[in-house]
Amino acid sequence: MDEFTSRLAAAFGFLRSLAIYQNPLLLWRWRRFYSAILRPGVLAFDVGAHLGTRARAMRAAGARVVAVEPQAPFSAFLRLTLPRDITVLDVALGREVTQGTMAVSSRHPTVSSLSAEFVAAGETAAGFEHVRWDRHQAVKVLTLDALIARFGMPDYIKIDVEGGEMTVLQGLSHPVPMISVEYLPAMPQLARDLIDRMHAMGFERFNIVRGEGGAFLWADWQGREATVAWLKALDANAKSGDLFAARAG
């Protein structure tokens, strides 16, 4: 892909994301959702903030928000458009402080990733037939522990980093109350590994938000086994969503 074509594809991908994620109905759903689970004044980390849909909703619920987004031009968009009291960091997160390389999909920027395993799996996964990772971006990588040392202990961490969720969790050694990670039906083992990791970290209750619905699937949070069984039963072509994990109590 030549430079002009690459720039054109990147512009298309950015505009496509704007059309999908800056939908007023979508914003309203997430504001309603976070208003129900976040108390005013709590601290929340939005890791993989993209266009800031969740960060805006968390802030509207009264949370103090740190938005983490390394991918250009989305990090610049966040700095220009988010409320001034939301902190924006144009870094990635991982298991250690280092430098990394992000595989970027110009036309489908929501699946850009630091995980080589995710990109390799995406070559054959259901729903990824039209995705191509056509360029790379160097990024600075921090850890959740580094963010906590700087900003304090969060009450909630949302992680949506396209296959890199496990390495982000490996950079966390503090017992935060609640976490959510993306699950991908086309990559079921990744979701099961994340559940095992979070359970080992002390998270015992789980719930699901399907797609961008902005509502929990279960009225009562479920245990590890029931959640794994639900994920196993998903069709590979089902929509992705958020897997929430909370500590007992």
Side-chain angles (χ1 to χ4, degrees):
M1 183 181 294
D2 60 40
E3 183 176 355
F4 174 77
T5 304
S6 179
R7 287 179 179 271
L8 189 63
F12 172 83
F14 181 78
L15 292 173
R16 181 175 180 272
S17 288
L18 276 177
I20 295 172
Y21 294 102
Q22 292 299 291
N23 182 313
L25 177 59
L26 198 67
L27 291 168
W28 175 80
R29 285 175 180 167
W30 286 114
R31 285 173 181 169
R32 180 187 61 180
F33 175 80
Y34 282 119
S35 292
I37 67 170
L38 298 179
R39 293 176 289 104
V42 302
L43 178 63
F45 293 167
D46 183 357
V47 182
H50 194 46
L51 287 169
T53 304
R54 306 290 186 88
R56 296 174 207 276
M58 294 174 200
R59 181 64 192 87
R64 296 174 292 123
V65 182
V66 177
V68 180
E69 177 53 59
Q71 188 176 180
F74 296 98
S75 56
F77 177 83
L78 294 177
R79 291 185 184 279
L80 287 171
T81 64
L82 285 181
R84 288 182 173 271
D85 57 359
I86 294 180
T87 300
V88 177
L89 302 177
D90 53 350
V91 301
L93 297 187
R95 67 171 61 89
E96 60 186 356
V97 177
T98 184
Q99 295 289 322
T101 301
M102 176 185 293
V104 176
S105 174
S106 297
R107 288 184 176 273
H108 301 86
T110 54
V111 297
S112 297
S113 177
L114 270 76
S115 170
E117 293 81 4
F118 173 84
V119 173
E123 297 292 341
T124 57
F128 287 75
E129 293 85 0
H130 302 294
V131 176
R132 297 292 180 271
W133 289 270
D134 54 290
R135 55 193 178 90
H136 294 85
Q137 178 188 329
V139 297
K140 181 178 181 179
V141 181
L142 300 180
T143 65
L144 281 171
D145 281 349
L147 262 63
I148 290 170
R150 178 175 172 183
F151 298 103
M153 183 69 70
D155 292 81
Y156 167 58
I157 303 173
K158 167 249 174 186
I159 308 171
D160 183 350
V161 291
E162 306 308 318
E165 288 81 4
M166 184 65 75
T167 59
V168 174
L169 289 177
Q170 289 168 346
L172 174 66
S173 60
H174 298 277
V176 301
M178 183 168 61
I179 288 176
S180 68
V181 298
E182 183 184 32
Y183 71 85
L184 295 167
M187 301 180 187
Q189 189 58 52
L190 173 60
R192 293 197 286 270
D193 289 345
L194 287 169
I195 290 176
D196 288 344
R197 174 70 183 185
M198 290 187 290
H199 191 265
M201 294 170 69
F203 294 93
E204 298 181 6
R205 302 185 301 133
F206 299 90
N207 215 325
I208 298 291
V209 174
R210 292 185 287 191
E212 296 289 336
F216 281 133
L217 175 63
W218 300 313
D220 297 318
W221 290 57
Q222 301 295 305
R224 174 188 180 188
E225 289 75 18
T227 307
V228 169
W230 183 85
L231 288 166
K232 282 183 177 179
L234 279 180
D235 186 272
N237 291 299
K239 289 183 178 180
S240 61
D242 292 276
L243 168 63
F244 279 73
R247 296 183 181 277

